[in-house]
Amino acid sequence: GRADTAADFVANLDRHGVLGKVTITRGHSAEVLPGIRRALDVMVKNFDLAFIDGAHDAVSIATDFALAVRCLAPSGRVAFHDYGNSCDPDVAAFVDPLLRAGSWRMVTRTGSVLVIERTSPETNDGESNGNGHQASTSSTTAAGTAWPP
């Protein structure tokens, strides 16, 4: 199997000064995100960023994306880890058609992390919290959600 990257995830959050804004929840996104969506509905908030890094097969990527998008603010962004990685071709195979279809556009790419956003923000239930709260989804590693302290 793959190495556990939770320690690296925490170290990166700390290095960038945002560790205190993130609550890390480990589990399968299909089990974790529906509960987060319900909590966000109660708080009338959405995430500004979802970071997808989990199982790298086509079905898991599509599921993670569909669940994460439900938690996004209309102007929210999605980051995919392992984009362009030859060991995980399904990531690019999922993202590239989104970009070609024109409903999403690339914001930036750093190494194997690609960030995309909607070309025309949709209306989600609730509003963006505007505080940079982030969701990280994963099928096999860490899922993090930021809640107000």
Side-chain angles (χ1 to χ4, degrees):
R2 293 183 177 269
D4 188 342
T5 59
D8 292 337
F9 179 67
V10 170
N12 285 329
L13 293 171
D14 188 43
R15 183 178 52 164
H16 292 284
V18 296
L19 183 59
K21 295 181 180 181
V22 178
T23 300
I24 299 171
T25 304
R26 294 178 66 106
H28 290 269
S29 56
E31 297 165 0
V32 173
L33 284 172
I36 291 171
R37 176 68 266 165
R38 287 188 296 276
L40 291 171
D41 286 343
V42 169
M43 296 184 321
V44 192
K45 296 182 180 182
N46 290 312
F47 292 120
D48 297 314
L49 175 70
F51 184 86
I52 296 177
D53 180 29
H56 293 79
D57 62 279
V59 171
S60 295
I61 296 164
T63 300
D64 288 350
F65 179 76
L67 291 167
V69 166
R70 291 182 195 151
C71 296
L72 280 181
S75 60
R77 294 176 172 179
V78 179
F80 290 89
H81 187 246
D82 294 318
Y83 177 85
N85 182 339
S86 62
C87 295
D88 300 306
D90 286 349
V91 177
F94 177 80
V95 175
D96 289 346
L98 290 175
L99 300 175
R100 282 194 300 273
S103 57
W104 293 82
R105 67 176 157 242
M106 183 178 81
V107 174
T108 189
R109 180 177 177 187
T110 303
S112 67
V113 176
L114 177 78
V115 180
I116 65 174
E117 68 184 0
R118 293 180 181 102
T119 53
S120 177
E122 300 172 2
T123 301
N124 286 1
D125 292 334
E127 298 176 3
S128 171
N129 56 32
N131 292 326
H133 289 181
Q134 302 171 357
S136 173
T137 72
S138 174
S139 296
T140 58
T141 57
T145 61
W147 301 96

